[in-house]
Amino acid sequence: DQQKMQWWRDARFGLFIHWGLYSVPAGEWNGNTSYGEWIRSTAQIPLATYDKFLSQFNPTQFNADDWVRMAKDAGMKYLVITTKHHDGFALWPTATTDFNVMNTPFKKDPLKELADACNKYGLQLCFYYSIMDWHHPDYLPRRDWESDRSTEGADFSRYITYMKEQLKELLTNYGKIGVLWFDGEWEDTWTHELGKDLYNYVKNLQPDIIINNRVDKGRAGMAGLTRTGDFAGDFGTPEQEIPATGFPGVDWESCMTMNSNWSYNSHDQNWKSSEDLIHKLIETASKGGNYLLNVGPTAAGVFPQPSIERLRDIGSWMSVNSAS
Ligand code: JFZ
């Protein structure tokens, strides 16, 4: 297990990508411009309305090679992409649901293209996967405003089978996956036992995969950073903050976005400066953590220009100051 962590400990720096159907409204709904990847929940969009984004997801400008090269040039060693966020949309061709990328005008597999580009540039491809799912009929609980979706006949154990089928696809069709980055574990239906079981399931499919602490219950953020007790997960995930000190003997990763949203929001111009981002990378690395820096690509498939500029600036600094 120490062995399998080695590449990740050496890596220090990775790219987080939030990209999915929520990129289509680009943060805006009914005149409110403050939304991100939570838009279906926070703007209370009915399922049938949200489903219509399927026909509008057409990233004709997507070029996996460009994305991975920008990460590589910034000095990043791995890439974590949202294969399925809380909205339940699957960014790959899956046999488990129609709610997937093949039913968009794009009709291609972005994960396959990213896997090829990661192989080419020597980055580790990693997958974000949300346990919470606002689309699947067997996922519980419903959002409290969703009176149009009955819970009658819903069976959470069937949802677990569904997750495992999806994870089997993700872990058998794209070669070696570096990290499984779980999220959305905080609702009452998720338990410590289910978390341990899912951890073991993923490990059986790829023995050397690294799994974050959000697979287990009650391990969100800093809570999971101590290794005492019976917890599943290989590293902790404080968010939007760098802890005051490191945690000797504990692996952790700080994830952070460049503006105020994880997914693309055309109105969000609250960009951190390149200098600020470089300082945060240095501070995180100096405390023994990894830095996972986020970009929210547009529905057309491109990185926002301010993100491109910041990645470039970080790369310039890295080319002078990093060891490899
Ligand atoms: C989660 C998601 O809900 C969010 O949309 C985004 O993907 C982010 C990276 O992860 O949000 C969280 C999860 C955990 C904490 C905070 C926000 N936490 O542990 O403090």
Side-chain angles (χ1 to χ4, degrees), residues 62-81:
F62 171 66
N63 184 324
D65 202 275
D66 285 350
W67 286 16
V68 177
R69 192 178 19 77
M70 284 190 273
K72 171 91 180 175
D73 289 347
M76 293 161 159
K77 302 285 167 38
Y78 59 109
L79 180 158
V80 184
I81 179 139

Side-chain angles (χ1 to χ4, degrees), residues 16 18 37-38 85-86 128 181 183 186 214 220-221 239 262:
F16 210 177
H18 279 70
E37 70 285 354
W38 275 71
H85 206 271
H86 308 330
Y128 168 108
W181 213 102
D183 193 17
W186 55 79
R214 293 185 196 180
E239 191 180 5
W262 296 101

Side-chain angles (χ1 to χ4, degrees), residues 16 18 22 36-38 82 85-86 128 130 132 134 181-186 213-214 219-223 237-241 255-256 262-263 292 294:
F16 210 177
H18 279 70
Y22 41 76
E37 70 285 354
W38 275 71
T82 48
H85 206 271
H86 308 330
Y128 168 108
S130 173
M132 179 162 70
W134 302 327
W181 213 102
F182 283 105
D183 193 17
E185 79 295 347
W186 55 79
N213 63 338
R214 293 185 196 180
R219 289 210 61 187
M222 302 296 287
T237 51
E239 191 180 5
Q240 297 288 354
E241 62 179 312
C255 56
M256 223 172 262
W262 296 101
S263 69
L292 185 64
N294 180 75

